[in-house]
Amino acid sequence: MKIEQIHHVAYRCKDAKETVEWYNEMLNMDFVLAIAEDKVPSTHEPDPYMHIFMDAGNGNVLAFFELPTKPEMGRDPNTPIWVQHIAFKVKDRDTLIEFKEHLEAKGVEVLGVTDHSLFHSIYFFDPNGHRVELACPDPEEEAMLKRMDAVKWDMLQEWSETKRAPKHADWLHAKELNKS
C-alpha cells in the first residue's frame, strides 16, 4: 500500500474570482473546477463556500476555499512568514527569470533569485497573503541530491538529538560563503 500522488492541496482565499484570475494571469495556471455548497459535505455543517481548483501541472492541483461567513483569514503569528509557502517547479533558470520579469512588470514584488545550491528560487505573495515560490533545478542537482541522500538519516538523527543544524551538508552553501 502506497500513496500515488497529492490529489490537491487546499488553502483559504479572500476572493475566489480574484484568486482564479491572479493565478491564471500571473502563473498561467488553468481554472479547472469550481464547487459551491451551502453545507460542508464531510461535517454537514451549514456553511456556504466556493471551492476552486487550479491546474498546477503534471496532475497537481492547487485549490482554494472562499468562506464568506467566517472571520477574516489570518496567519499563524508564531510561524515566520518564510516558512509556510506554496512552491512550484519551473523548467530552468531562463523560465524562472521570465516569470520574475513578468511578475515584476505586473507590479508583484519579487524576492530573489535565491541560490539554494540544489535549486534556484524566487518568492512573492499572492493576493491572499500566501507566500509563493517558483524553483528551477540547478544543473548539478542530480549529483548534489546523491550526496544529500547519503547523509539524510544521519542529519535527521543528529537534529533530533541536538536541535542544532548538522554540518553533513555544509558544502551546499560553500559557494555562497566564498562570495562573501
Side-chain angles (χ1 to χ4, degrees):
M1 178 168 59
K2 193 161 175 80
I3 299 294
E4 290 182 18
Q5 74 179 62
I6 291 174
H7 185 273
H8 69 276
V9 176
Y11 291 86
R12 186 168 176 195
C13 67
K14 297 174 185 173
D15 182 295
K17 186 173 186 285
E18 176 188 45
T19 299
V20 166
E21 290 170 348
W22 191 90
Y23 276 87
N24 181 263
E25 180 181 359
M26 299 301 174
L27 300 181
N28 200 24
M29 293 171 68
D30 293 328
F31 176 38
V32 293
L33 181 66
I35 299 172
E37 305 272 351
D38 288 319
K39 185 167 64 170
V40 180
S42 58
T43 66
H44 306 289
E45 178 185 356
D47 196 5
Y49 66 86
M50 170 59 75
H51 194 20
I52 56 170
F53 298 78
M54 304 299 296
D55 181 352
N58 288 330
N60 295 293
V61 175
L62 176 61
F64 293 92
F65 282 96
E66 182 180 343
L67 308 170
T69 65
K70 297 297 183 199
E72 187 175 316
M73 61 185 272
R75 52 175 306 281
D76 175 2
N78 296 320
T79 301
I81 200 154
W82 56 267
V83 172
Q84 293 177 330
H85 62 280
I86 309 163
F88 299 104
K89 181 180 180 180
V90 298
K91 181 181 176 182
D92 54 27
R93 190 172 178 94
D94 288 343
T95 305
L96 187 68
I97 299 300
E98 284 178 43
F99 267 111
K100 178 179 171 65
E101 291 169 355
H102 168 72
L103 289 160
E104 289 175 337
K106 297 285 187 176
V108 176
E109 188 176 325
V110 179
L111 175 66
V113 174
T114 301
D115 182 348
H116 296 287
S117 294
L118 293 169
F119 57 93
H120 309 265
S121 300
I122 59 173
Y123 300 90
F124 48 93
F125 290 90
D126 79 358
N128 306 296
H130 300 301
R131 191 172 199 223
V132 179
E133 174 183 6
L134 298 184
C136 69
D138 185 271
E140 301 297 319
E141 177 188 49
E142 193 173 321
M144 285 188 272
L145 283 173
K146 284 181 184 177
R147 288 181 71 185
M148 294 297 295
D149 186 59
V151 298
K152 66 186 177 194
W153 288 106
D154 292 335
M155 289 179 70
L156 182 61
Q157 183 61 38
E158 185 176 327
W159 174 264
S160 180
E161 293 168 4
T162 68
K163 299 301 183 209
R164 288 190 217 117
K167 304 300 181 195
H168 299 76
D170 276 357
W171 56 268
L172 262 179
H173 298 288
K175 64 181 171 182
E176 215 175 88
L177 296 173
N178 291 335
K179 290 179 188 173
S180 301

